[in-house]
Amino acid sequence: MAEEEPQEKKFKHSVISDFILSAEFQQIFREHWHNFTDIKTDDLEIISKPFRVCRISNFISSEEVMEEIKNDLLDIRTRRNSIDLYQFEQTDDFASFDAENIKLLYDAFQTDFATWLEENTKIELNKMIDMSSSSYYDTDFLLCHDDNLGDRRIAYVLYISKQWTEEDGGTLDLFDTDEDGLPRDVVKSLVPEYNSIVFFEVVDNSYHQVAEIISPDKSRWSINGWFHGPKQSTKQPRPEMEPDCIPSLDQTVNLDEWVTECYLFSKVKEDIHMDMEKDSYTHLSSFLKDEIYEKLATDLMSETIVWKKVGPADIRKYEVADEDTLPDLLKQLCTMFKSITMFKLLKEYTELDLVAEKENMNPRMFLELQRWSGGCYTLIHDKPILSDYNEDPKSLASESDESEALDETEGDGLQLLNKSTREDQEKSNSNNRSSSSDCGTPVSIRDETDDIEDEIMRKILKSKSPRTRRKYLVHHAAMLKMGDRSPRKPRILDTDESDVSDIGDYLSDPLECSLERSDEEEVVKPEEVVPTKTQPTGSLDLILQFHANNAPQDESTICYLDPMTSDATLMNIPPKDNHLSIVYKVGNTCRIHRYVNHYHPDYFYNLICTYYE
């Protein structure tokens, strides 16, 4: 009797195509995956560089099954996620859904496909998965990140949009890395292919992004998530991005030739000082003389200027001018902002120690002339909590050695948590996923760090003079939104409605500020002042914009925020030409420039100067 032929292997769940179980397919996959060699067939593509990525086509077993999954998804509510890193719509995790076909898909990934991946990639998994659906519409994006968080081992995305083309945007872009392991340039782009799954191992250099959607009438629809498993982190601390600061140039500049006359009047200087002391920021319209500003704006479009793209891509992307290639008038503008004359003017505006009157004083500044257009951005990135303080915060609390982490992944909101809190949260999410999960919403959790900062502020306030004490008290209230106080709306000095010589009327009321300062002075008695080594170091930002009509007119495009608070935005910079915005910041306050979408293809420019005491 002839032997029966062995039956073809099949998945327990009929959702996934059985052909990937064939011995031939698995052998081809393993050969190229483990040898880091490329291959492309009708059903399989493996890319070895910049990191290993696999695409399997015709992944779902039939068109009928795919349509049933999509029909179930149409009945599920999505939420709009929008932060600096991404903008798209997303569902909750599929573990909380009872729809038949979605549950079948989830179970198939958790059992059949997880087993297949573990056997063929030799990556150890623990059967825990994340799965949700994302929809990207016109101008939506997910910027550069590496997915390297917690115990994520394999990231995946299943594409369910038909007839998607490269012209629609939304490609999965892969980045190479520089000598420090930081993302540099997009070197490979994958166009979403209907009923194909793309997956890759989450490693130190798995930097990728979803390019902006540029189709006005299509949506990029996908199912995505991670497989989890034991993991030992090998990621090295990233090098610090230190600005190339310089001391003031020891040369005087005739500000009368550059600056609108009223801003050099003693009375207006006092008003600006009061405005800064009260709110920590101000906006000065028509700061430069009109004829000078117009000439500068024209020179910025000169083809002789060399512009260099700056990164790394998971933090920023814009262009900076090579100062040596600037036309003469722009060089003189940079010299003016670097000069001791400008340092002295800013000291009058702010009362900051920007002039070296003692040997141990080291005022300095950093200047960038930036060019922006569609596709440019800056992002919040990791930095030590309270890094601007000289005293180690650990000395102020017994259990504050946890390090913070920044969650920057598709499907997760930006969360600043300490290490133990994040691990506890992930364990809870893995063991008890429910419909109440809110993995796409920005979260802020108050922990011991807040108490540390409060203690630091108490020490600072005791050590300061009444005037400086008031400045830090008001600033701290604005920065952390303590009590009922919220940041004031910026006063915008608009010369279209009033003569510029009346600019003092737009600034703080001198009498009001004088009375407030007198009240504060009565609170602190001389004997209460206790010397301390702990001093906050802040910085003063100056922002001058050119061709702002080409920039997004949303006033939140350039903003200052505190990522440690739930309502992170503290203030916005209005997109206006020849407005000098002056902002004093301390602590965790960050300046970001939100992503510029494809509807703004023309260039606009920012002169950014940062001064340090």
Side-chain angles (χ1 to χ4, degrees):
M1 182 176 178
E3 294 184 3
E4 293 184 4
E5 293 185 5
Q7 291 185 349
E8 183 179 354
K9 289 185 178 180
K10 292 188 177 182
F11 283 120
K12 177 181 177 182
H13 301 86
S14 60
V15 175
I16 302 174
S17 297
D18 288 324
F19 75 85
I20 74 170
L21 275 178
S22 71
E24 180 183 3
F25 184 89
Q26 293 184 82
Q27 181 181 353
I28 294 173
F29 172 85
R30 287 194 295 264
E31 177 183 347
H32 290 275
W33 180 265
H34 293 292
N35 291 326
F36 289 83
T37 55
D38 293 356
I39 185 176
K40 186 171 184 179
T41 67
D42 290 342
D43 293 322
L44 176 66
E45 180 179 10
I46 292 179
I47 300 165
S48 60
K49 294 180 180 179
F51 52 91
R52 285 183 300 184
V53 177
C54 176
R55 170 156 52 189
I56 300 176
S57 302
N58 304 307
F59 183 74
I60 298 299
S61 58
S62 69
E63 179 69 18
E64 180 182 1
V65 173
M66 177 67 88
E67 289 302 317
E68 289 175 348
I69 293 171
K70 292 167 67 175
N71 286 335
D72 281 353
L73 285 175
L74 290 174
D75 295 329
I76 295 175
R77 183 181 63 86
T78 63
R79 63 180 175 276
R80 187 75 175 161
N81 296 328
S82 181
I83 60 172
D84 60 323
L85 180 68
Y86 53 67
Q87 175 181 293
F88 58 89
E89 293 187 9
Q90 185 184 33
T91 68
D92 285 335
D93 194 277
F94 284 7
S96 62
F97 298 146
D98 295 326
E100 178 182 359
N101 296 289
I102 290 178
K103 191 169 180 58
L104 282 173
L105 181 68
Y106 184 91
D107 291 343
F109 271 62
Q110 192 174 37
T111 56
D112 292 339
F113 194 43
T115 299
W116 188 95
L117 286 170
E118 194 166 23
E119 290 178 353
N120 286 284
T121 65
K122 304 305 178 184
I123 298 171
E124 186 179 357
L125 304 176
N126 61 14
K127 306 304 181 184
M128 298 305 303
I129 69 169
D130 295 304
M131 180 180 286
S132 61
S133 176
S134 301
S135 300
Y136 292 73
Y137 298 90
D138 189 20
T139 73
D140 285 351
F141 59 88
L142 170 61
L143 299 178
C144 180
H145 62 291
D146 62 6
D147 275 0
N148 198 354
L149 178 69
D151 62 351
R152 294 172 180 169
R153 298 305 313 274
I154 296 176
Y156 68 88
V157 54
L158 172 63
Y159 296 110
I160 57 179
S161 291
K162 290 184 176 181
Q163 298 177 339
W164 197 266
T165 68
E166 188 173 2
E167 288 70 28
D168 298 322
T171 53
L172 176 62
D173 295 336
L174 313 180
F175 289 81
D176 65 357
T177 52
D178 60 19
E179 60 276 6
D180 294 317
L182 301 178
R184 185 169 48 192
D185 298 311
V186 173
V187 294
K188 183 73 175 179
S189 295
L190 301 178
V191 178
E193 174 190 309
Y194 177 69
N195 195 12
S196 70
I197 189 168
V198 172
F199 64 86
F200 56 85
E201 182 181 8
V202 176
V203 290
D204 291 348
N205 68 322
S206 54
Y207 288 103
H208 59 285
Q209 71 175 12
V210 175
E212 180 190 354
I213 308 302
I214 56 178
S215 172
D217 53 7
K218 286 186 179 181
S219 66
R220 180 189 186 273
W221 202 5
S222 66
I223 295 170
N224 42 264
W226 300 272
F227 292 88
H228 296 262
K231 184 176 182 180
Q232 293 293 327
S233 177
T234 60
K235 196 160 190 175
Q236 299 298 315
R238 62 190 300 146
E240 291 290 333
M241 290 177 53
E242 295 293 341
D244 188 15
C245 293
I246 61 170
S248 60
L249 298 181
D250 190 18
Q251 63 184 86
T252 58
V253 174
N254 186 359
L255 294 179
D256 290 325
E257 297 179 357
W258 292 86
V259 178
T260 300
E261 184 180 16
C262 69
Y263 292 115
L264 304 178
F265 292 163
S266 297
K267 177 62 171 64
V268 174
K269 290 179 184 178
E270 292 175 5
D271 289 341
I272 294 172
H273 172 220
M274 289 182 178
D275 211 38
M276 290 296 299
E277 187 176 65
K278 186 176 182 180
D279 292 329
S280 295
Y281 62 85
T282 191
H283 304 287
L284 309 181
S285 66
S286 298
F287 180 74
L288 297 180
K289 292 187 173 181
D290 288 342
E291 62 275 14
I292 293 287
Y293 180 84
E294 293 301 326
K295 181 65 167 63
L296 290 167
T298 300
D299 285 353
L300 276 169
M301 295 184 289
S302 170
E303 295 183 357
T304 64
I305 302 176
V306 175
W307 298 94
K308 179 183 178 182
K309 186 184 75 172
V310 295
D314 63 337
I315 291 178
R316 59 184 182 173
K317 179 187 175 184
Y318 56 85
E319 294 177 298
V320 172
D322 179 348
E323 288 187 39
D324 292 336
T325 66
L326 293 176
D328 287 343
L329 192 62
L330 282 169
K331 286 182 179 178
Q332 294 172 34
L333 177 73
C334 294
T335 298
M336 180 190 74
F337 280 100
K338 296 175 184 178
S339 70
I340 186 62
T341 309
M342 179 57 70
F343 275 70
K344 290 179 178 179
L345 178 64
L346 294 175
K347 180 178 180 179
E348 292 184 85
Y349 283 172
T350 64
E351 210 179 63
L352 297 177
D353 293 328
L354 295 176
V355 178
E357 297 173 345
K358 299 179 181 178
E359 289 186 3
N360 62 345
M361 297 175 67
N362 182 31
R364 57 211 184 280
M365 68 91 66
F366 171 74
L367 181 147
E368 270 190 348
L369 182 55
Q370 304 172 350
R371 184 169 76 171
W372 290 75
S373 61
C376 294
Y377 57 86
T378 64
L379 300 174
I380 300 172
H381 61 283
D382 288 347
K383 65 177 182 177
I385 296 177
L386 304 179
S387 61
D388 287 334
Y389 294 91
N390 296 328
E391 180 172 317
D392 185 357
K394 293 180 182 179
S395 64
L396 300 174
S398 58
E399 297 178 12
S400 59
D401 57 349
E402 296 89 357
S403 62
E404 60 177 323
L406 181 64
D407 188 351
E408 297 182 344
T409 55
E410 182 170 5
D412 285 309
L414 182 148
Q415 302 173 349
L416 281 168
L417 313 174
N418 65 45
K419 185 177 180 181
S420 61
T421 303
R422 181 180 300 282
E423 290 175 350
D424 293 341
Q425 184 188 47
E426 289 194 344
K427 184 181 294 184
S428 173
N429 288 344
S430 298
N431 295 333
N432 185 25
R433 299 184 186 277
S434 68
S435 59
S436 63
S437 65
D438 194 19
C439 61
T441 303
V443 174
S444 176
I445 294 181
R446 180 178 177 89
D447 57 15
E448 293 173 357
T449 304
D450 302 80
D451 298 328
I452 295 170
E453 186 167 5
D454 291 343
E455 178 63 23
I456 289 175
M457 287 308 304
R458 282 193 289 272
K459 289 189 175 184
I460 291 169
L461 297 180
K462 287 182 179 180
S463 67
K464 292 295 180 181
S465 65
R467 171 172 293 195
T468 310
R469 180 184 190 276
R470 178 188 176 279
K471 178 166 63 176
Y472 281 113
L473 180 64
V474 173
H475 174 78
H476 188 60
M479 293 297 99
L480 298 183
K481 302 182 185 292
M482 295 173 61
D484 295 328
R485 182 181 177 91
S486 60
R488 297 172 183 265
K489 186 175 182 180
R491 295 180 183 81
I492 300 174
L493 311 181
D494 193 342
T495 56
D496 294 335
E497 298 179 2
S498 177
D499 188 89
V500 73
S501 63
D502 295 327
I503 197 161
D505 295 339
Y506 291 90
L507 300 173
S508 303
D509 183 348
L511 178 59
E512 177 188 3
C513 287
S514 176
L515 291 174
E516 288 184 7
R517 187 162 58 251
S518 298
D519 292 341
E520 291 288 345
E521 289 173 355
E522 293 176 3
V523 174
V524 183
K525 298 179 181 180
E527 58 268 26
E528 293 177 337
V529 177
V530 179
T532 176
K533 294 181 180 179
T534 304
Q535 300 289 344
T537 57
S539 59
L540 186 72
D541 279 357
L542 269 60
I543 303 176
L544 185 63
Q545 302 174 73
F546 297 86
H547 298 282
N549 58 305
N550 293 333
Q553 296 306 296
D554 181 356
E555 289 200 355
S556 66
T557 299
I558 304 178
C559 68
Y560 286 80
L561 51 82
D562 183 352
M564 298 300 294
T565 63
S566 57
D567 184 12
T569 302
L570 303 173
M571 64 160 296
N572 300 314
I573 302 297
K576 291 195 174 184
D577 281 339
N578 204 7
H579 256 58
L580 184 70
S581 297
I582 307 177
V583 182
Y584 180 70
K585 57 188 178 70
V586 295
N588 292 305
T589 309
C590 303
R591 181 188 72 242
I592 67 167
H593 196 306
R594 299 188 188 277
Y595 181 82
V596 181
N597 65 44
H598 68 276
Y599 288 106
H600 302 280
D602 297 325
Y603 292 123
F604 54 99
Y605 307 82
N606 298 326
L607 178 66
I608 307 286
C609 301
T610 303
Y611 296 81
Y612 302 89
E613 293 184 270

